[in-house]
Amino acid sequence: MKQENKILHYIWNIFFYTVIVLFLVGAGLFAFMQQQDRSVGGYRLFGVLTDSMIAPGNTLKEGGFRSGDIVITKEVDPGKLKVGDVVTFRLTPIDGQSEETNFLTHRIIKLTPQENGQIQVTTQGDANRSSDQPINADKIVGKEVFRIPAIGGWLLFIRGHLLLSLMVLVAVLALVWGITQLFSKDPSSIKET
């Protein structure tokens, strides 16, 4: 009986610490997503809000993503960009906003060298019928290198319902801790009444 108890205790410890690690990773992603204009080692995280990169037939081309996903981008030298790359760029301010805080992630469909040495980039969402307004390559903040499916939706929910999310998290952690404590007790030490 002791051997079975040790195995259950071991399994619950793995589960408990996995939940803790996932919580810490989620908190890190949550905090990092709050400041999209900052990068760590040239990498940035962006939460996807629209389905503009879903190809016809509800399919994903290479580099495509769905709303609710998280897209990880890495800074890239404009000279290394090529048609087909999925890039994130700063949108031009609208309505007199002084800062460029909005970003868009679409596929490059055309690269046009300019006389001044700049590269003009034309992008388009896989679901869109028309291309975006051309931009200078210096507006690009990164090229997509990885996609984490669906977790962005959870992070956006947490951002919108922080108190509820904290209450659920505390309840789940308390439940896991309580079950861990239950399995860690030696059955021979429990006295029958």
Side-chain angles (χ1 to χ4, degrees), residues 12-167:
W12 276 108
N13 275 339
I14 290 173
F15 179 73
F16 180 74
Y17 290 115
T18 301
V19 168
I20 295 295
V21 168
L22 289 175
F23 168 72
L24 293 174
V25 168
L29 287 173
F30 179 75
F32 196 71
M33 281 182 64
Q34 296 281 38
Q35 301 176 355
Q36 291 179 335
D37 201 31
R38 297 178 67 192
S39 70
V40 174
Y43 291 91
R44 287 187 167 95
L45 293 175
F46 295 94
V48 178
L49 302 176
T50 69
D51 284 329
S52 67
M53 287 298 290
I54 297 177
N58 199 25
T59 59
L60 292 179
K61 292 182 180 179
E62 183 179 339
F65 45 81
R66 301 179 189 282
S67 63
D69 292 351
I70 290 180
V71 174
I72 300 172
T73 66
K74 176 147 179 42
E75 291 175 359
V76 62
D77 176 8
K80 294 184 178 180
L81 293 172
K82 60 187 183 303
V83 171
D85 286 345
V86 176
V87 294
T88 300
F89 56 94
R90 296 176 189 278
L91 291 173
T92 304
I94 301 172
D95 299 332
Q97 294 177 349
S98 60
E99 294 184 24
E100 299 173 344
T101 56
N102 295 318
F103 298 90
L104 187 62
T105 304
H106 280 167
R107 189 177 308 279
I108 296 176
I109 60 168
K110 184 178 179 184
L111 294 168
T112 310
Q114 302 294 302
E115 291 179 8
N116 61 3
Q118 292 276 346
I119 299 172
Q120 189 177 56
V121 179
T122 305
T123 60
Q124 182 175 339
D126 293 345
N128 299 349
R129 293 181 182 212
S130 60
S131 63
D132 304 318
Q133 182 176 352
I135 58 165
N136 286 331
D138 62 354
K139 296 236 184 221
I140 294 175
V141 296
K143 175 182 168 182
E144 179 190 358
V145 292
F146 193 70
R147 170 182 73 98
I148 304 172
I151 196 169
W154 287 98
L155 293 176
L156 290 172
F157 176 83
I158 291 169
R159 185 184 296 176
H161 304 89
L162 191 57
L163 183 60
L164 174 65
S165 300
L166 286 173
M167 288 173 25

Side-chain angles (χ1 to χ4, degrees), residues 3-17 180 183-184:
Q3 185 66 19
E4 288 177 9
N5 197 21
K6 284 183 181 180
I7 292 171
L8 288 175
H9 178 69
Y10 181 72
I11 291 170
W12 276 108
N13 275 339
I14 290 173
F15 179 73
F16 180 74
Y17 290 115
T180 302
F183 283 116
S184 67

